[in-house]
Amino acid sequence: MGRFCEIFVGKMATSTGGAVMPRSFRLLEELEAGQKGVGDGTISWGLENEDDIDLRAWTGMIIGPPRTSFENRMYSLRIEAGNNYPEQPPVVRFINRINMNCVSSTGAVDIRAVPILSRWSREYTIKSVLQELRRLMLLKDNMKLSQPPEGSTY
């Protein structure tokens, strides 16, 4: 029985013939990538609580890009992967106060103002959302905005 499950699960997870990877498998892959520290170290992500069997509540971190008003700051985010993730985008909220044209006065990220969220595709990941938010920090409209005192939160 164990060998059958191993083969079946492995095939489902890697199938490209139109089979859709289940939500939990997908999120476990994303968790593993976050734990390995994939990338250049400017973003990171993981579960808010490692006992979260629903894989719903995540945390993210973005290091502000150099030569911007975000430089030398670490921004923490809360990311909620709802029951319909990855078919629908996660809900993203900054914990640290930040001035960006895609973030509300409560820290909520406006889905309509972030291209990757407004044109969401199931191929996108929590990593891609964090990368996109960091990229938006580099836009002329955002990079020179004055920022709240470092360490202040919503």
Side-chain angles (χ1 to χ4, degrees):
M1 179 66 178
R3 179 76 178 137
F4 171 77
C5 287
E6 182 182 309
I7 291 168
F8 182 72
V9 169
K11 184 171 173 71
M12 259 180 102
T14 59
S15 175
T16 56
V20 174
M21 183 185 301
R23 175 185 179 278
S24 58
F25 289 12
R26 163 64 181 274
L27 285 168
L28 286 170
E29 278 189 357
E30 292 194 47
L31 177 60
E32 184 179 356
Q35 289 171 334
K36 286 182 180 175
V38 176
D40 61 4
T42 58
I43 61 168
S44 63
W45 65 97
L47 281 176
E48 196 169 272
N49 176 353
E50 59 187 55
D51 297 331
D52 178 6
I53 61 169
D54 293 327
L55 306 171
R56 178 180 299 276
W58 294 69
T59 58
M61 189 272 305
I62 300 174
I63 295 177
R67 294 177 299 286
T68 68
S69 57
F70 309 105
E71 184 173 23
N72 296 325
R73 292 186 180 214
M74 288 179 30
Y75 293 95
S76 296
L77 300 91
R78 185 167 196 286
I79 303 153
E80 185 176 331
N83 291 336
N84 294 323
Y85 181 88
E87 298 303 326
Q88 293 178 350
V91 175
V92 183
R93 176 179 300 276
F94 276 84
I95 295 169
N96 299 91
R97 293 186 65 81
I98 188 169
N99 285 332
M100 280 180 74
N101 61 14
C102 63
V103 180
S104 78
S105 60
T106 62
V109 173
D110 181 357
I111 287 178
R112 297 163 304 185
V114 179
I116 203 171
L117 294 174
S118 64
R119 295 191 303 266
W120 184 257
S121 165
R122 75 175 302 55
E123 285 76 39
Y124 297 142
T125 61
I126 291 169
K127 175 186 176 183
S128 20
V129 171
L130 293 171
Q131 287 173 322
E132 176 79 347
L133 288 169
R134 190 169 191 276
R135 185 190 69 77
L136 292 175
M137 290 176 175
L138 293 166
L139 294 183
K140 212 171 267 188
D141 292 351
N142 289 320
M143 69 186 295
K144 299 299 180 194
L145 289 175
S146 66
Q147 295 301 312
E150 195 165 352
S152 58
T153 57
Y154 290 103

